[in-house]
DNA sequence: ACGTAGACTTGAATCT
DNA sequence: ATTCTTCAAGTCTACG
């Protein structure tokens, strides 16, 4: 799925397009796409609401509606949330269609049907409806430092890559940006998280923010499915240092980029720039 | 408590 | 051309 930069790009687009618009009708083409409440209620209760503002928490899109209600969306791997003006033939992966009073449509498309939409009724909070939202870790663009990483990783034996992907520790980093951040910081993804030295964590914290901000500037990465709220591709994939570059020369040292599975996820890195043992100053 | 496969779902790409 | 296997922006559950 879209990771933090892609979700942020979608949110910024929706914030420009939605506030002030009213939902006139709701059409659910695939029941699995609705997380809460039951499909019938989702349809009945969402209709008539006005969009007020769009924010993000981790990889969740949070839309505030009038009367204290809300609409949340997680794109997971292949979800798209977009506002369309010219109502051309919808994609075959259209799962939920929300007609707006001004004639436009908010469409949720999702090839793999992992993504979800949740309606939050007045009186309930987003966390009431989506418990995992309350368990998310720090927002890396707001709170990130070597000190924070040191406390989050303390005593952890799992690979540092796996720790970066744990949404309860840090919210929003996914497979692409975990690999990219570790590459930029010169840290091998297989190193047990708790063994990464403080100086390296300082560097990693800095690189995480740099990578995420740069990706947002490029409107995210489009590998296959991701599009922003206007249906436009991201560009960051072309800037990647290691992700998707297995077998290609490292942009720094020219040695071949490796790919291994870590906790089930493809992980890309340069053995020379990210040695398995921390590089230490020669002792003499 | 901690860490890692498997499941969920659909399609694209690579290889015979 | 067709079939098979592998892989994919994520996360939740079930094991050991």
């Amino acid at each position: 799925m879209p990771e933090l930069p892609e979700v942020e790009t979608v949110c910024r687009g929706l914030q420009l397009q939605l506030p002030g618009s009213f939902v006139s009708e709701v059409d659910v083409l695939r029941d699995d796409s609705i997380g809460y409440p039951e499909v019938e209620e989702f349809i009945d209760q969402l209709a008539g609401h006005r969009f007020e503002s769009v924010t993000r928490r981790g990889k969740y899109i949070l839309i505030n509606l009038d009367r204290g209600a809300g609409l949340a969306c997680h794109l997971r791997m292949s979800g798209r949330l977009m506002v369309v003006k010219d109502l051309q033939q919808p994609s075959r992966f259209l799962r939920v269609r929300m007609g707006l009073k001004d004639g436009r449509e908010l469409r949720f498309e999702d090839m793999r049907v992992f993504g979800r939409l949740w309606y939050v009724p007045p009186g309930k909070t987003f966390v009431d409806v989506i418990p995992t939202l309350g368990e998310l870790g720090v927002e890396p663009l707001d709170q990130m430092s070597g000190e924070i990483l040191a406390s989050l990783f303390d005593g952890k034996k799992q690979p540092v890559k796996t720790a970066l992907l744990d949404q309860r520790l840090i919210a929003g980093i996914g497979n692409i940006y975990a690999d990219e951040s570790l590459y930029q910081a010169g840290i091998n993804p297989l190193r047990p998280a708790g063994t990464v030295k403080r100086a390296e964590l300082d560097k990693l914290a800095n690189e995480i923010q740099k990578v995420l901000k740069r990706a947002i500037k490029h409107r995210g990465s489009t590998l296959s499915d991701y599009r922003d709220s206007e249906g436009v591709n991201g560009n960051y994939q072309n800037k990647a240092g290691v992700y998707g570059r297995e077998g290609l020369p490292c942009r720094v040292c020219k040695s071949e980029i490796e790919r291994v599975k870590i906790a089930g996820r493809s992980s890309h890195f340069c053995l020379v720039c990210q040695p398995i043992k921390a590089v230490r100053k020669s002792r003499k």
Side-chain angles (χ1 to χ4, degrees):
Chain A
M1 116 161 195
E3 306 180 29
L4 187 151
E6 290 76 32
V7 178
E8 177 66 21
T9 301
V10 171
C11 285
R12 290 182 185 183
L14 294 175
Q15 174 63 28
L16 293 174
Q17 297 164 295
L18 288 181
S21 303
F22 285 85
V23 179
S24 54
E25 42 154 359
V26 179
D27 192 6
V28 174
L29 293 90
R30 176 99 177 205
D31 290 0
D32 298 338
S33 296
I34 305 303
Y36 184 90
E38 292 300 314
V39 174
E40 292 296 313
E41 300 169 54
F42 180 90
I43 293 171
D44 292 345
Q45 295 176 25
L46 179 57
H49 274 292
R50 186 182 71 240
F51 293 106
E52 288 192 339
S53 61
V54 185
T55 59
R56 177 190 59 74
R57 175 76 173 102
K59 299 171 194 169
Y60 289 85
I61 298 167
L62 306 177
I63 304 175
N64 294 300
L65 305 172
D66 61 343
R67 292 176 267 144
L71 177 67
C73 178
H74 197 305
L75 304 171
R76 290 285 190 101
M77 299 283 263
S78 60
R80 296 176 182 178
L81 194 58
M82 47 220 301
V83 178
V84 295
K85 202 187 230 164
D86 309 313
L87 307 184
Q88 321 100 337
Q89 182 76 8
S91 144
R92 54 193 280 231
F93 304 123
L94 179 68
R95 308 301 184 199
V96 182
R97 195 184 60 81
M98 288 152 279
L100 307 186
K101 214 188 259 177
D102 57 23
R104 295 177 303 162
E105 281 183 4
L106 175 60
R107 289 179 178 171
F108 178 63
E109 302 176 349
D110 187 16
M111 182 185 83
R112 292 173 71 181
V113 207
F114 288 171
R116 292 288 181 274
L117 289 179
W118 298 266
Y119 170 74
V120 181
K124 288 202 186 214
T125 66
F126 283 108
V127 175
D128 289 337
V129 170
I130 313 167
T132 49
L133 198 54
E135 292 167 26
L136 292 180
V138 298
E139 276 294 327
L141 293 181
D142 300 337
Q143 299 174 270
M144 183 47 60
S145 67
E147 186 179 1
I148 290 173
L149 291 180
S151 73
L152 293 175
F153 294 174
D154 185 40
K156 291 219 180 300
K157 290 177 188 154
Q158 63 182 175
V160 60
K161 160 82 183 271
T162 307
L164 284 179
L165 292 177
D166 188 340
Q167 302 299 297
R168 294 167 303 182
L169 302 181
I170 305 165
I173 297 177
N175 210 29
I176 300 174
Y177 302 110
D179 281 2
E180 293 300 313
S181 300
L182 289 167
Y183 173 64
Q184 293 300 332
I187 298 169
N188 188 289
L190 287 163
R191 298 249 317 266
T195 69
V196 182
K197 302 285 178 281
R198 177 53 189 273
E200 297 175 292
L201 293 179
D202 287 340
K203 171 89 171 151
L204 179 58
N206 189 39
E207 295 298 339
I208 286 171
Q209 290 204 324
K210 274 172 64 180
V211 164
L212 294 176
K213 286 178 182 170
R214 184 153 178 253
I216 291 172
K217 194 169 287 181
H218 290 279
R219 307 182 62 79
S221 300
T222 292
L223 300 185
S224 59
D225 299 308
Y226 168 73
R227 299 290 186 282
D228 69 17
S229 68
E230 296 175 79
V232 177
N233 284 203
N235 291 309
Y236 189 79
Q237 69 280 166
N238 305 315
K239 313 285 180 206
V242 285
Y243 193 87
R245 302 194 70 245
E246 180 190 10
L248 296 174
C250 168
R251 298 190 198 277
V252 173
C253 76
K254 308 298 180 212
S255 70
E256 261 190 31
I257 299 300
E258 307 278 332
R259 179 165 73 100
V260 299
K261 285 264 182 199
I262 301 176
R265 312 299 303 276
S266 265
S267 302
H268 312 71
F269 64 99
C270 170
L271 258 177
V272 176
C273 297
Q274 298 165 271
I276 189 67
K277 288 232 167 187
V279 180
R280 43 179 189 185
K281 292 170 187 130
S282 62
R283 45 196 158 118
K284 70 168 169 111

